[in-house]
Amino acid sequence: EDQVTQSPEALRLQEGESSSLNCSYTVSGLRGLFWYRQDPGKGPEFLFTLYSAGEEKEKERLKATLTKKESFLHITAPKPEDSATYLCAVWGPEGGKLIFGQGTELSVKP
Amino acid sequence: DTEVTQTPKHLVMGMTNKKSLKCEQHMGHRAMYWYKQKAKKPPELMFVYSYEKLSINESVPSRFSPECPNSSLLNLHLHALQPEDSALYLCASSPRWDSNQPQHFGDGTRLSIL
């Protein structure tokens, strides 16, 4: 069964304390893995697309990496404004359907 | 600012009311989506439109009726909703439904059913 699992469910960091979020997936024929950030009461904001193992993308304090089984979202020296829920998703085998993980709720305290 | 615009941002309605949610995108995308999201859960797919035709209906109750008047607009007509339908309703778009490009989301309509 195609599925996406994110860990941890919640992560509390002190400002400046680097860490990583994990997204493991099982899907036949990966057509793209996506990271989104979602603030309370807002829609998911697109961050990164990864297509093949070994690929890396960076944006400010965030870096996303991909292996054949999982993706990591590394957060370097986080700030309170990085607090949000981070969602991982992959295209399912059927066109038009994204398979989402349950999300990781990140809280960064000053 | 998001490139997918949803109106209204908030909606409170009774179980006998009829209302509509609207979504607009001007990115030239030909696939548009409706999602329902409950608190602390990921978005749950409801409908997919491809080139203005309904491609996927995820067994959504008939009290939700989607409409795609043109390639930029997507509506969701609501009638006789239940309290459990209270949620954040998200619209998204992507270049094509079978591409490998990401979906882009609007900020949603917060719907409350009294």
Side-chain angles (χ1 to χ4, degrees):
Chain A
E1 181 186 353
D2 299 316
Q3 63 180 12
V4 176
T5 303
Q6 291 187 245
S7 62
E9 290 184 11
L11 181 62
R12 294 185 179 183
L13 300 174
Q14 289 295 125
E15 185 172 2
E17 180 186 1
S18 301
S19 188
S20 296
L21 282 56
N22 177 263
C23 170
S24 62
Y25 63 91
T26 54
V27 63
S28 51
L30 183 68
R31 292 190 292 125
L33 183 143
F34 310 102
W35 282 99
Y36 291 88
R37 169 196 170 124
Q38 187 172 24
D39 293 299
K42 300 282 190 178
E45 175 191 352
F46 170 70
L47 293 174
F48 302 111
T49 304
L50 299 166
Y51 291 112
S52 55
E55 192 173 0
E56 298 182 352
K57 295 277 180 71
E58 283 189 73
K59 179 181 179 181
E60 297 181 354
R61 295 176 293 281
L62 300 177
K63 179 180 178 180
T65 62
L66 182 66
T67 72
K68 288 186 177 180
K69 294 183 178 180
E70 57 192 350
S71 177
F72 292 93
L73 186 64
H74 306 278
I75 303 177
T76 301
K79 298 182 177 182
E81 53 262 41
D82 294 322
S83 298
T85 295
Y86 290 84
L87 293 165
C88 173
V90 301
W91 279 120
E94 299 177 49
K97 291 189 179 184
L98 275 181
I99 302 172
F100 281 92
Q102 293 298 304
T104 293
E105 187 175 357
L106 174 66
S107 175
V108 182
K109 299 298 183 185
Chain B
D1 288 339
T2 180
E3 295 179 271
V4 178
T5 304
Q6 291 188 242
T7 56
K9 293 188 184 305
H10 303 277
L11 180 62
V12 180
M13 57 187 289
M15 289 190 285
T16 58
N17 293 156
K18 287 185 179 181
K19 297 285 185 182
S20 297
L21 309 184
K22 297 185 183 302
C23 173
E24 188 169 4
Q25 59 89 12
H26 293 289
M27 295 180 281
H29 290 173
R30 302 314 299 268
M32 297 186 76
Y33 312 79
W34 279 116
Y35 287 87
K36 174 183 178 179
Q37 187 177 28
K38 291 283 212 179
K40 297 192 180 295
K41 295 290 186 183
E44 180 183 339
L45 184 66
M46 300 174 71
F47 303 104
V48 180
Y49 272 84
S50 175
Y51 290 89
E52 295 104 71
K53 294 189 187 303
L54 183 63
S55 297
I56 296 176
N57 176 341
E58 290 288 271
S59 302
V60 178
S62 60
R63 57 185 183 269
F64 295 91
S65 176
E67 177 194 23
C68 190
N70 60 54
S71 60
S72 300
L73 293 174
L74 189 65
N75 298 322
L76 186 63
H77 303 297
L78 313 173
H79 174 55
L81 295 193
Q82 303 298 308
E84 59 266 28
D85 297 323
S86 296
L88 181 68
Y89 287 84
L90 295 164
C91 173
S93 70
S94 69
R96 281 173 28 206
W97 81 305
D98 59 350
S99 76
N100 59 359
Q101 298 298 306
Q103 294 181 15
H104 294 268
F105 288 81
D107 277 337
T109 293
R110 173 69 61 188
L111 177 64
S112 298
I113 307 300
L114 301 178

